[in-house]
Amino acid sequence: MWFEKSLDEIIKEFNTDIVNGLSSEEALARKNKYGPNKLAEKKKKSILKLLFEQINDVLIYILLAAAVISALLGEVSDAVIIMVVIVLNAIIGLVQESKAEKALESLKKLSFPKALVKRDGRIVEISSEDVVIGDIVVLEAGKYVPCDLRLIETANLKIEESALTGESVPSEKYAENVLKGEDIALGDQQNMAFMSTMVTYGRGTGVAVAASMDTEIGKIAKMLDNDEKNLTPLQVKLAQLGKILGFGVLVICVLMFIVAVIQKRDLFEMFLTAISLAVAAVPEGLPAMVTIVLAVGVQRMIKKNAIIRKLPAIETLGSVNIICSDKTGTLTQNKMTVTKFYADGTLDNISGLNMKNKVHFALVEYMILCSDATYSADSKTGDPTEIALLELGAKFDLYKKDEDRLHVRVNEIPFDSDRKLMTTLNRFDNKYNVITKGAVDNLIEICSSIYLNGGIVPFSEELKLKVMNASDSMSKDALRVLAAAFKKVDSIEIEIDSMEKNLTFVGLVGMIDPPRENVRDSIEECKKSGIRTVMITGDHKNTAFAIAKELGIAKDFSQVMLGYEFDKLPEKEAGNRIDNLRVFARVSPEHKVKIVKTLKKKGNIVSMTGDGVNDAPSLKTADIGVAMGITGTDVAKDASDMILTDDNFSTIVEAVKEGRNIYNNIRKSITFLLSCNIGEIIALFIGIVLGWPSVLRPIHLLWVNLITDSLPALALGVDPDDPDIMKEKPRDAREGLFSGKNGVFLIGNGILIGVLTLSAFYVGTRIYPNSVMHAQTMSFVVLSVSQLFYTLSMRHSEKSIFQIGIFTNRYLIGAIILGIVLQNVVITVPFLASVFKVFRLTLNDWMFVILLSIVPLVVNEIVKMLWKQNT
Ligand code: ATP
């Protein structure tokens, strides 16, 4: 049992080095020997099984039966065609599904957690998969434990182990507690950390003692069930719609069959027609089509630095009307540089710092000692705020490494965004200094004296006012202000609770953090498209407002409110005031939840950013929780719907754009498919009711279904982005798929296509009274070609085909050309023509059917024009 062994035994057993970690070569050798550190996944389904799933549908079974019956009755060509259609349909479905699956798979890889390990004497970040036994792993708040660890060092480390033990209250960990006894429960093994549990507080280091399936979680979860399907609301709605439509189509088919019986038609022919119509008109492929469009969209988003973790997020993104964003790092560059300071009664630029002045020296030294970042000429790691402090020290030849050696850290209370403070206990000769740094307003509360002229004097109200004035002056210049304080104590045994009390104030530093490029433009773009940007920051009110003003988020100071002030407001008043607020300052993570809830209650669709452990609740509450990819913790990422790989605000706006485009594309595709189906039903049903011979043969229907439902529908689904999408207002999330104009398009075009097909047939019977086959060929061509042309007009509900550019969707043009060529091949190649029972059309016939086929395109373009003129 690892927890029973002493550290020396562990180190010997794993042949590792606490100070330098493993060498890269050794780590690689161990990885090659033991394999990657991940839990086994469920076996993938075989191709045969996937293929079977495609065919496993009642309608397909009936169609199969129909093929067998056709063959028995000697209609071999019909049987063959039906079989070909079934196989092609299954292959298309299979390809679509496996493509979607692959895209989702690669997504999973992207969000695979990272781990911090010591390798070759340096701390490096690697994928958790690459951790090997013997690695020295560094843990910090917000990180997942990458494998089972025997802890070597802990500083207030707390780990939430519910994944393993079910216990959601975090357990405290102590490296030095060596336990004895066989049957100590996992939850009580305080010197161990286990894979898949989560660090909620503090820091620690440990030796990797078990990886992958040898870990405790690996022993329990022999197999990870990754089978959970995450259907988007749209997909769920579509699946329901599909069922309703399917039922409707079946009713029509039965009706058609009854009418045929009454009219004493050839019953077998009618049975085949009814089944083919059902197969053609039931949009069984819709959910798969939607998945693939979403998956392609997800890939496009990755290129724009946004990782979508949950598919429904894409749809929701399209209707976001409020973006709540962090300031530091998202709106700003998170490249901090200290430019001003206040100490010993003076506010000045950094050049005014004098290391011979004891207070000045203490300010810089304490800021360095109370930081976790590392800094040297060629490498900087850690929080940019702290890197700026270390950089300041380096300017005066004060280096973290030297300082740490001189004044060893013996205890600490880590920074958290609720307290907005961080404290360390460092050895100074034979005594100790408590050093605290953090937000000035919080720090001033716990200071009772101030360091002035080399001596410690009481912190009078007047002196406090001077400090606050200096802080105000810096923050109004958009500087982030950090204060430092200290106190001397005799013993290392000081209680944690009494550390941050009765401190002596030392001074302030102010650092600039310039806004990111492009953010101003993105905010302007949001404004134009009806999206409100709200800044939510832990920083000071003045700093926040100064930057918000510069970026065009807020105009007036009345639009700024402190997090706790808002939190105190009664619900109703919060609701009344929130519409005017653009900046929330000094916000703690729990205030964020109230902000999101209040905004949501007013009917807004809210996106909220977050990075820390405590941000998880607000990320989950928001419609779109956005986690930072660079600075974000694993916990925040896990709670989010989307991760920004560049932490950039503009990426959120790009994602919203993409979300809008994807939704539009899906809607276009569905409207297209359904209006074509309506057209087919109308043509057949009306034809039969009118007592005409069959307008189309069953295999014609199956064929049309094959060439229109597949490629053209998909090509519409991946239509290039509309550059003007952000000129529109956000889509109302409650709006149905076919509300308003869309519904009119859907039904109108369905009727039009149906009537045109009937017209082609009618004219055909007039020109060739003795050949039903000829007329059928004409309606067959009109039905398929009109659908193909009509896709061009479907690309935009307002812009004409010339405005969007006829050739801008190459896939669609390819799909149309291929469709027409195949249609032509079927009619002109004698063997196929005999199989499809079609007639070789004359030049005049072709001209006539092409003329009819472009009617939907022309009519739609005219309607768009008229619509535009009237609005
Ligand atoms: P956001 O990213 O949400 O815009 P933020 O990053 O500015 O906000 P926090 O990181 O919570 O918010 O910081 C809030 C305040 O805490 C800062 O204004 C600063 O005074 C203080 N602070 C930030 N980082 C540290 C740190 N490492 N140690 C001590 N205090 C810090």
Side-chain angles (χ1 to χ4, degrees):
M1 289 292 171
W2 309 121
F3 61 87
E4 290 178 298
K5 300 201 169 166
S6 72
L7 261 185
D8 291 339
E9 285 174 288
I10 297 272
I11 290 162
K12 219 187 241 160
E13 190 151 348
F14 288 95
N15 194 12
T16 186
D17 175 341
I18 291 193
V19 181
N20 296 315
L22 297 174
S23 68
S24 315
E25 297 86 49
E26 177 61 23
L28 190 64
R30 290 191 191 187
K31 188 177 174 196
N32 290 339
K33 189 165 169 199
Y34 300 110
N37 170 39
K38 60 176 184 184
L39 300 176
E41 284 173 12
K42 208 173 168 178
K43 272 214 183 100
K44 294 222 170 69
K45 287 183 194 160
S46 68
I47 293 237
L48 267 180
K49 184 147 191 244
L50 283 174
L51 204 61
F52 174 71
E53 275 177 12
Q54 297 295 326
I55 298 172
N56 190 11
D57 183 284
V58 183
L59 279 177
I60 300 287
Y61 285 142
I62 300 179
L63 207 55
L64 273 173
V68 174
I69 299 172
S70 306
L72 291 178
L73 291 180
E75 298 276 350
V76 180
S77 61
D78 273 8
V80 170
I81 290 280
I82 294 174
M83 287 308 294
V84 170
V85 166
I86 292 175
V87 170
L88 278 182
N89 248 336
I91 291 177
I92 291 172
L94 184 76
V95 171
Q96 285 190 351
E97 216 151 85
S98 62
K99 214 171 166 192
E101 195 89 341
K102 259 199 203 120
L104 296 181
E105 193 77 8
S106 56
L107 264 194
K108 245 187 246 157
K109 281 214 178 96
L110 274 174
S111 42
F112 213 78
K114 298 253 188 297
L116 286 176
V117 295
K118 272 191 196 168
R119 293 265 172 94
D120 307 311
R122 284 170 60 173
I123 295 178
V124 287
E125 189 173 61
I126 56 171
S127 164
S128 295
E129 275 189 10
D130 297 333
V131 175
V132 293
I133 50 171
D135 257 330
I136 306 294
V137 179
V138 179
L139 298 178
E140 52 188 38
K143 278 215 165 295
Y144 276 111
V145 180
C147 57
D148 286 0
L149 300 174
R150 166 67 162 82
L151 296 165
I152 314 167
E153 184 212 339
T154 48
N156 301 305
L157 184 66
K158 287 186 194 168
I159 299 187
E160 201 249 279
E161 297 181 325
S162 62
L164 200 59
T165 61
E167 172 60 58
S168 59
V169 179
S171 326
E172 296 184 9
K173 296 287 176 180
Y174 302 97
E176 46 301 329
N177 285 10
V178 178
L179 306 162
K180 290 284 172 212
E182 277 289 297
D183 50 356
I184 293 180
L186 290 180
D188 297 329
Q189 298 179 10
Q190 290 177 320
N191 58 6
M192 294 288 296
F194 301 103
M195 185 175 191
S196 294
T197 59
M198 182 178 89
V199 183
T200 55
Y201 196 76
R203 283 186 312 119
T205 348
V207 182
V209 290
S212 49
M213 294 310 278
D214 299 333
T215 58
E216 294 299 331
I217 190 105
K219 285 181 204 156
I220 303 175
K222 274 289 171 228
M223 228 146 241
L224 257 197
D225 196 355
N226 281 330
D227 220 16
E228 149 197 359
K229 276 236 156 89
N230 215 344
L231 285 187
T232 78
L234 182 63
Q235 282 174 312
V236 173
K237 253 193 253 164
L238 280 180
Q240 286 163 352
L241 179 79
K243 279 199 188 116
I244 299 170
L245 281 179
F247 184 72
V249 170
L250 284 182
V251 169
I252 292 178
C253 291
V254 171
L255 264 180
M256 221 165 71
F257 197 69
I258 295 172
V259 175
V261 172
I262 297 169
Q263 293 177 345
K264 301 205 170 60
R265 288 174 185 253
D266 174 350
L267 284 190
F268 178 67
E269 171 83 19
M270 270 332 286
F271 166 72
L272 269 190
T273 308
I275 292 298
S276 310
L277 183 62
V279 170
V282 172
E284 71 286 339
L286 265 189
M289 194 274 300
V290 173
T291 308
I292 197 157
V293 172
L294 289 175
V296 170
V298 165
Q299 295 296 341
R300 275 208 271 201
M301 286 200 187
I302 292 175
K303 288 197 190 108
K304 294 182 177 171
N305 300 323
I307 299 175
I308 297 292
R309 291 190 61 250
K310 298 171 188 158
L311 274 191
I314 302 185
E315 282 168 51
T316 321
L317 268 173
S319 46
V320 161
N321 69 334
I322 295 194
I323 302 180
C324 296
S325 172
D326 276 356
K327 173 180 71 69
T328 314
T330 313
L331 294 167
T332 65
Q333 297 180 8
N334 211 0
K335 285 194 187 125
M336 313 261 180
T337 318
V338 180
T339 56
K340 286 197 170 164
F341 78 98
Y342 173 82
D344 213 12
T346 31
L347 169 66
D348 200 352
N349 290 331
I350 284 310
S351 53
L353 269 173
N354 171 11
M355 287 301 111
K356 291 203 178 99
N357 176 318
K358 278 188 176 165
V359 186
H360 289 194
F361 181 80
L363 177 65
V364 180
E365 182 181 46
Y366 292 168
M367 286 289 186
I368 297 176
L369 285 171
C370 187
S371 287
D372 289 332
T374 64
Y375 179 86
S376 66
D378 54 352
S379 103
K380 306 169 190 176
T381 58
D383 177 1
T385 304
E386 295 189 345
I387 293 177
L389 298 173
L390 303 191
E391 226 158 13
L392 171 70
K395 276 196 188 124
F396 297 96
D397 278 337
L398 282 181
Y399 288 96
K400 172 118 181 107
K401 261 195 171 161
D402 306 338
E403 285 294 309
D404 278 349
R405 228 174 282 139
L406 222 63
H407 305 292
V408 180
R409 187 189 291 187
V410 289
N411 204 347
E412 67 190 73
I413 312 175
F415 172 75
D416 77 62
S417 34
D418 285 315
R419 279 166 38 253
K420 299 188 174 33
L421 298 174
M422 165 170 177
T423 296
T424 58
L425 185 66
N426 297 68
R427 186 177 298 141
F428 272 69
D429 301 326
N430 287 327
K431 291 197 171 174
Y432 298 90
N433 270 17
V434 172
I435 304 173
T436 305
K437 77 172 190 317
V440 56
D441 20 359
N442 296 26
L443 191 69
I444 224 167
E445 302 271 309
I446 50 172
C447 287
S448 53
S449 52
I450 180 167
Y451 197 19
L452 269 183
N453 298 323
I456 294 173
V457 297
F459 209 1
S460 66
E461 286 308 312
E462 194 190 334
L463 288 171
K464 277 189 185 169
L465 194 67
K466 268 183 108 175
V467 171
M468 285 321 286
N469 284 343
S471 158
D472 276 355
S473 144
M474 287 196 231
S475 56
K476 274 187 184 139
D477 286 342
L479 298 187
R480 180 183 181 84
V481 182
L482 225 65
F486 80 109
K487 73 174 167 191
K488 288 203 174 303
V489 291
D490 295 330
S491 154
I492 196 171
E493 296 300 332
I494 178 167
E495 296 265 331
I496 287 273
D497 289 346
S498 56
M499 286 225 264
E500 289 176 354
K501 276 179 189 155
N502 281 328
L503 299 174
T504 301
F505 189 86
V506 179
L508 306 171
V509 293
M511 43 186 92
I512 52 160
D513 178 16
R516 278 178 181 270
E517 285 169 27
N518 303 335
V519 160
R520 229 195 117 84
D521 296 342
S522 301
I523 289 171
E524 188 57 34
E525 194 171 26
C526 283
K527 249 189 226 164
K528 285 194 186 130
S529 65
I531 299 174
R532 193 198 307 166
T533 310
V534 176
M535 178 194 276
I536 297 190
T537 174
D539 226 332
H540 193 279
K541 219 173 167 178
N542 293 343
T543 316
F545 178 63
I547 294 190
K549 203 167 167 191
E550 195 176 333
L551 290 174
I553 294 177
K555 281 196 191 107
D556 194 89
F557 202 63
S558 66
Q559 293 171 314
V560 188
M561 194 179 247
L562 289 175
Y564 84 91
E565 278 174 5
F566 184 77
D567 210 42
K568 275 198 313 206
L569 289 182
E571 209 172 287
K572 199 160 166 228
E573 199 179 340
N576 290 340
R577 297 197 47 190
I578 203 155
D579 282 339
N580 181 45
L581 296 173
R582 296 289 182 274
V583 178
F584 293 89
R586 286 291 188 236
V587 173
S588 299
E590 68 265 28
H591 302 153
K592 283 186 169 181
V593 177
K594 176 155 179 180
I595 298 174
V596 174
K597 279 193 175 156
T598 313
L599 285 170
K600 275 180 79 172
K601 219 173 238 165
K602 300 202 85 183
N604 297 301
I605 305 291
V606 186
S607 124
M608 167 67 87
T609 58
D611 47 14
V613 182
N614 310 351
D615 284 328
S618 60
L619 292 183
K620 281 195 182 138
T621 314
D623 296 290
I624 298 284
V626 182
M628 299 300 147
I630 305 171
T631 56
T633 54
D634 293 342
V635 181
K637 287 180 192 165
D638 222 38
S640 68
D641 303 289
M642 177 166 96
I643 300 174
L644 306 178
T645 53
D646 59 355
D647 290 9
N648 191 345
F649 175 83
S650 304
T651 304
I652 308 177
V653 183
E654 284 301 315
V656 169
K657 243 190 239 178
E658 198 65 55
R660 288 184 175 193
N661 275 313
I662 290 173
Y663 188 86
N664 272 358
N665 283 352
I666 290 178
R667 186 158 64 180
K668 287 188 265 186
S669 217
I670 297 173
T671 313
F672 163 69
L673 279 179
L674 294 187
S675 52
C676 293
N677 290 353
I678 292 178
E680 287 158 18
I681 294 173
I682 288 184
L684 272 172
F685 193 62
I686 304 282
I688 286 180
V689 171
L690 290 177
W692 291 2
S694 257
V695 175
L696 294 157
R697 295 184 60 79
I699 47 174
H700 297 167
L701 275 172
L702 294 175
W703 170 259
V704 173
N705 184 41
L706 205 62
I707 60 170
T708 58
D709 274 20
S710 53
L711 293 181
L714 255 184
L716 269 181
V718 293
D719 211 16
D721 290 352
D722 175 8
D724 295 325
I725 193 85
M726 291 305 262
K727 288 191 182 145
E728 293 167 19
K729 296 278 163 262
R731 168 176 59 87
D732 184 348
R734 288 157 300 185
E735 171 194 291
L737 206 51
F738 308 116
S739 57
K741 229 197 253 180
N742 237 324
V744 180
F745 257 93
L746 172 72
I747 311 260
N749 282 307
I751 295 175
L752 189 57
I753 292 173
V755 169
L756 288 168
T757 310
L758 285 168
S759 316
F761 185 79
Y762 181 75
V763 174
T765 52
R766 292 281 129 165
I767 307 177
Y768 308 101
N770 303 323
S771 165
V772 174
M773 194 200 263
H774 206 133
Q776 277 174 340
T777 310
M778 287 171 68
S779 48
F780 177 33
V781 177
V782 168
L783 182 66
S784 72
V785 179
S786 65
Q787 293 187 8
L788 291 173
F789 281 142
Y790 158 60
T791 50
L792 285 175
S793 165
M794 280 302 302
R795 289 185 54 199
H796 205 285
S797 60
E798 280 166 21
K799 290 186 189 170
S800 76
I801 52 170
F802 303 108
Q803 269 171 307
I804 35 176
I806 299 182
F807 299 104
T808 41
N809 184 343
R810 281 173 299 147
Y811 298 114
L812 188 60
I813 296 294
I816 295 173
I817 293 176
L818 185 71
I820 294 178
V821 168
L822 287 177
Q823 187 66 38
N824 201 11
V825 166
V826 161
I827 289 177
T828 46
V829 174
F831 163 68
L832 288 174
S834 72
V835 172
F836 276 86
K837 302 208 173 58
V838 283
F839 199 86
R840 205 185 170 127
L841 296 183
T842 64
L843 192 63
N844 277 347
D845 295 339
W846 267 114
M847 281 190 350
F848 176 67
V849 291
I850 293 286
L851 211 64
L852 280 189
S853 300
I854 56 172
V855 171
L857 174 64
V858 175
V859 169
N860 273 289
E861 291 303 303
I862 294 174
V863 170
K864 276 190 222 170
M865 233 160 60
L866 295 179
W867 214 307
K868 220 180 195 172
Q869 276 170 6
N870 289 335
T871 48

